[in-house]
Structure formats: structure tokens, C-alpha cells
């Protein structure tokens, strides 16, 4: 069954686009999505966690190259992780730069195009009180919208929690790193999933030192601590389901084959190579993706 509808030179697929996070590893996804935007390939639903959420909103706002510019800034002082953010933000990651200076000045985000888009887009955030994932969006208030983006990317310990309606939130990847099941529950029978780790990767449990840090930092949020310590179990179970459904032809998956970078990688040459890998791999697999979406 053909699941497309034509809109000018663009093709909108009635399918879900599901984007994993991974901080700087998201530059791989940025490369893949830039290629899709150049080809005019769109999806009726987009959902991402953490860096995947950032990539997702740039995809919906149709800003080719914006995510890349954020992941690989030309000015070295704009890199994501830096010691200068610790005194002012009590965090290693400069969230004010990423979710205020970048979108509102340095690398402008096209709020108008995003807010007017017919595409349903959700960002995964993790409720620190419940420890559960939630799926949010806002197309009426620019600051609130960017606060949701910030919350989705607020890596525990590395960045401060974000208050949304009086409740603290952290990185969406804690509650749901690969929101494929959520997309399916919304009724999207076909889903294109972009991962940022190679095939066969499995997350390891937190070591004793990290567990102690979590318990100390989040002692007021026992459900969040539980989610953090169980994250590897949830994530690996998601990967197992994804692999099974991929082999059955129920989902289409793009994942890196080489050169996976660290989550806080700062070398622009390494990041550029990983971006290009995502772009080239998407180009190579475009016909397979279209065959899956159109059948």
C-alpha cells in the first residue's frame, strides 16, 4: 500500500521518524536528516530524545545545516561542554548557549515554520518525580518550546534539571531513549529509526562510583535514581525489540557502521567525519527506505 501524499516537490510519508539521542553522536543523525531534507522527504510524525529532539525540531523547521552548525560550531568557544559553564550554570554543559544564544541569536531557529508545520512532533522528557518519560511540544510560546528542548537534553549531573509547570525534568533518554513503542502506540504502522550507536552495542550498568553520584545528587528523587540505575535494562530491551522488528521488516533502521564518537567529542574534524558518514549512509540507503515506506 502506498502511504504517501504529494505536496509540491516534497513527499510526506504517513510514518514515524524516531530519533535516538547521544549528545555529540547526534551529528550522525544531523547528516542523515540534512540529506532527507535536500531530497524533500518528510514524515507525518517526528519524535526524539535529547540530541534526537534537537535534530527532530530542526527537521520539522526545515533548516538544512542548522543541527550541524550547533554540533560543529565554527567558533571553538561555542562548544557544548566547557568549564566556564560550571560557575554560572552549575553544569558542565553550556545549556544557556545551546537553548538561548544559539536559537535566538547565533544560529537562529525558525520558530514560524516549526509552529506552522502540519507535522506532529514530540520531544521526550523525563519527569524527575515519577521517573517516567513524557512526550511534549508547544507551538504557542517560544520560551516554553525551547525549555522543553532544554529539558529533553539535560543530561543528569552534567546539566541542571529544567522546571516545566512546577515539576523538574531531565534528559528524555533516561525514560525512553528510543521512543519507537510510543510512536507505534500513536498508530504509526511504519517507522524509520535513526540510532547513534553501531549494531550490536549494549549499554552497561552504572558502576559503583556513578551509582553513588546519582544517589547523592538526586536523593530527593528516588524514582529518578531508580530510572537511572535501570536505564541499561530498559535501553537494551528496546534494542532487542528493535532488532526483532527490523528483521521482520516492520521498522527501518539507520545506524552508524563506523567512527562512532564520544558523547562529548569536541574535535571538529572527527565530528565532521561522523556527520558525513550519516549523510553518505542515508544517501546509500535512500532507495531501501523508500521501498519500505511505499510498500
Amino acid at each position: 500500500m502506498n502511504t504517501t501524499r504529494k505536496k509540491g516537490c516534497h513527499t510526506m510519508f504517513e510514518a514515524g521518524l524516531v530519533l535516538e539521542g547521544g549528545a555529540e553522536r547526534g551529528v550522525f543523525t544531523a547528516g542523515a536528516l540534512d540529506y532527507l531534507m535536500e531530497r524533500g522527504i518528510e514524515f507525518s510524525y517526528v519524535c526524539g530524545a535529547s540530541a534526537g529532539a534537537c535534530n527532530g525540531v530542526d527537521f520539522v523547521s526545515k533548516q538544512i545545516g542548522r543541527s550541524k552548525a550547533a554540533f560543529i560550531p565554527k567558533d571553538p568557544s561555542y562548544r557544548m561542554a566547557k568549564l566556564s559553564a560550571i560557575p554560572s550554570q552549575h553544569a558542565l554543559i553550556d545549556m544557556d548557549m545551546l537553548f538561548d544564544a544559539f536559537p535566538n541569536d547565533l544560529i537562529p531557529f525558525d520558530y514560524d515554520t516549526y509552529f506552522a508545520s502540519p507535522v506532529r512532533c514530540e520531544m521526550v522528557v523525563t519527569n524527575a518525580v515519577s521517573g517516567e518519560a513524557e512526550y511534549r511540544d508547544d507551538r504557542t510560546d517560544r520560551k516554553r518550546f525551547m525549555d522543553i528542548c532544554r529539558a529533553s537534553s539535560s543530561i543528569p549531573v552534567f546539566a541542571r534539571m529544567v522546571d516545566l509547570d512546577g515539576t523538574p525534568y531531565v534528559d528524555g533518554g533516561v525514560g525512553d531513549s528510543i521512543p519507537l513503542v510510543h510512536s507505534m502506540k500513536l498508530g504509526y504502522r511504519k517507522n524509520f529509526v535513526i540510532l547513534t550507536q553501531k549494531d550490536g552495542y549494549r549499554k552497561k550498568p552504572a558502576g559503583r562510583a556513578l551509582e553513588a553520584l546519582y544517589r547523592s545528587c538526586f536523593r530527593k528523587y528516588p524514582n529518578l535514581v531508580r530510572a537511572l540505575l535501570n536505564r541499561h535494562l530498559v535501553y537494551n530491551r528496546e534494542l532487542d525489540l528493535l532488532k526483532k522488528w527490523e528483521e521482520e521488516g516492520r521498522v527501518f533502521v539507520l545506524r552508524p557502521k563506523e567512527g562512532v564518537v564520544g558523547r562529548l567529542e569536541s574535535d571538529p574534524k572527527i565530528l565532521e567525519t561522523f556527520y558525513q558518514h550519516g549523510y553518505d549512509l542515508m544517501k546509500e540507503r535512500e532507495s531501501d527506505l523508500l521501498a519500505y515506506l511505499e510498500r
Side-chain angles (χ1 to χ4, degrees), residues 43-87:
F43 297 81
S44 56
Y45 176 63
V46 177
C47 188
S50 196
C54 298
N55 277 311
V57 299
D58 285 346
F59 184 72
V60 175
S61 68
K62 301 181 181 181
Q63 291 180 268
I64 298 173
R66 184 181 185 276
S67 287
K68 180 185 180 183
F71 282 116
I72 318 175
K74 294 181 179 180
D75 188 328
S77 68
Y78 294 163
R79 67 179 185 272
M80 180 175 70
K82 51 190 177 184
L83 296 177
S84 61
I86 296 177

Side-chain angles (χ1 to χ4, degrees), residues 125-134 167-169 174-175 220-227:
V125 293
T126 301
N127 185 314
V129 177
S130 68
E132 298 292 328
E134 296 178 10
T167 300
Y169 286 83
V174 175
K220 295 181 181 179
Y221 305 97
N223 289 326
L224 175 58
V225 172
R226 187 178 303 110

